[in-house]
């Protein structure tokens, strides 16, 4: 029997979206999506994240170009190929890009940030907004010029981006297959292995 509810349904159906409608997301919807990040768990309740919402085509294109330059310097062939692909835009020309940054002196900034980003992806999906977590902008986001260009508060560094927009086509909830990895319990001294 599969247990189901609204949260589990959102978790199971969320898929990365890489084609967006030419329609901006309302500000109130974006506020609700960003607020979902606030409720993520964080080490010592540090809440060490900072989010930047970009709705500026020139800036998004500039970051995409700089990220592709960094990809071309990679030693991994598929990354170099993406960097050389004139049709590839790291943000898939989404109408809004969220930059997820972390406070450098936090207890566990990367774990905090990833928890918040996942909340954001799920909240977006639940509101009909498609998203794609973008790690391929990292080459630029981790560069010395990024904090200034992004107007980040002192002591913060950018790590990830999330492309956000209404999906171009209705998504079926299908996506890359999941492995249903076997797991095991340790129950009162007994080890029980579960094949799924
Ligand atoms: C840390 C991280 C970085 C990612 N970077 C990219 C990226 O740069 N570009 C992209 O298209 N997808 C990126 N993804 C999305 C994954 O490709 C996607 O989540 C995975 O294939 C599973 O598909 P699904 O999200 O549709 O379930 C990233 C995901 C994570 C967690």
């Amino acid at each position: 029997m599969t247990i189901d509810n609204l949260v589990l349904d959102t978790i199971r159906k969320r898929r990365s979206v890489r084609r967006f409608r030419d329609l901006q997301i309302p500000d109130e919807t974006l506020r609700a999506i960003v607020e979902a990040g606030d409720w993520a768990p964080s080490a010592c309740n540090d809440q060490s994240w900072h989010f930047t919402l970009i709705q500026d085509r020139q800036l998004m294109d500039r970051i995409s170009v700089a990220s592709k330059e960094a990809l071309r310097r990679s030693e991994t062939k598929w990354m170099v190929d993406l960097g050389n692909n004139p049709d590839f835009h790291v943000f898939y020309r989404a109408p809004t890009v969220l930059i997820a940054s972390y406070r450098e002196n936090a207890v566990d900034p990367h774990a905090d940030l990833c928890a918040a980003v996942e909340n954001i992806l799920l909240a977006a999906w639940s509101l009909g907004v498609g998203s794609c977590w973008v790690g391929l902008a990292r080459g630029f986001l981790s560069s010395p010029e990024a904090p200034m260009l992004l107007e980040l508060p002192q002591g913060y560094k950018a790590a990830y981006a999330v492309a956000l927009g209404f999906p171009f086509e209705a998504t079926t909830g299908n996506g890359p297959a999941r492995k249903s990895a076997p797991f095991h319990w340790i129950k009162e001294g007994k080890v029980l292995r579960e094949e799924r």
Side-chain angles (χ1 to χ4, degrees):
M1 187 189 71
T2 307
I3 293 182
D4 208 1
N5 65 24
L6 276 179
V7 175
L8 291 172
D9 191 57
T10 305
I11 289 172
R12 289 181 184 129
K13 292 214 175 112
R14 180 214 55 81
R15 295 280 73 85
S16 295
V17 170
R18 298 182 176 89
R19 244 183 119 193
F20 298 96
R21 286 172 65 193
D22 189 14
L23 180 67
Q24 191 50 276
I25 307 162
D27 289 358
E28 275 316 294
T29 305
L30 281 168
R31 285 195 183 94
I33 290 170
V34 172
E35 195 217 324
D38 296 346
W39 294 100
S42 59
C44 303
N45 195 23
D46 210 0
Q47 301 172 50
S48 59
W49 42 71
H50 178 89
F51 300 112
T52 309
L53 287 167
I54 305 180
Q55 296 179 328
D56 179 316
R57 183 58 54 202
Q58 263 192 332
L59 181 56
M60 294 178 201
D61 290 349
R62 187 167 162 192
I63 298 173
S64 180
V65 167
S67 302
K68 287 174 71 178
E69 271 166 26
L71 286 175
R72 288 198 289 275
R73 291 192 296 273
S74 160
E75 285 172 10
T76 310
K77 188 182 174 314
W78 67 263
M79 288 195 183
V80 175
D81 290 347
L82 270 181
N84 281 322
N85 182 345
D87 298 327
F88 178 65
H89 192 288
V90 288
F91 303 131
Y92 303 101
R93 298 179 178 85
T96 297
V97 170
L98 176 145
I99 304 290
S101 304
Y102 62 92
R103 208 184 67 242
E104 286 177 278
N105 65 359
V107 180
D108 199 342
H110 284 280
D112 296 352
L113 196 58
C114 289
V117 169
E118 178 65 358
N119 269 17
I120 282 170
L121 304 191
L122 292 172
W125 186 268
S126 76
L127 294 169
V129 174
S131 67
C132 187
W133 186 327
V134 175
L136 289 175
R138 196 82 188 258
F140 168 75
L141 295 180
S142 60
S143 69
E145 69 261 39
M148 221 201 321
L149 187 71
L150 296 168
E151 312 250 357
L152 292 187
Q154 196 68 27
Y156 284 79
K157 281 211 161 143
Y160 295 112
V162 178
L164 289 163
F166 293 108
F168 185 77
E169 52 244 314
T171 39
T172 57
N174 293 327
R178 293 307 197 256
K179 288 178 190 151
S180 290
F183 65 94
H184 69 279
W185 311 77
I186 301 179
K187 277 194 184 189
E188 287 156 18
K190 283 193 190 136
V191 179
L192 305 168
R193 303 206 176 263
E194 195 146 327
E195 294 300 326
R196 297 191 297 153

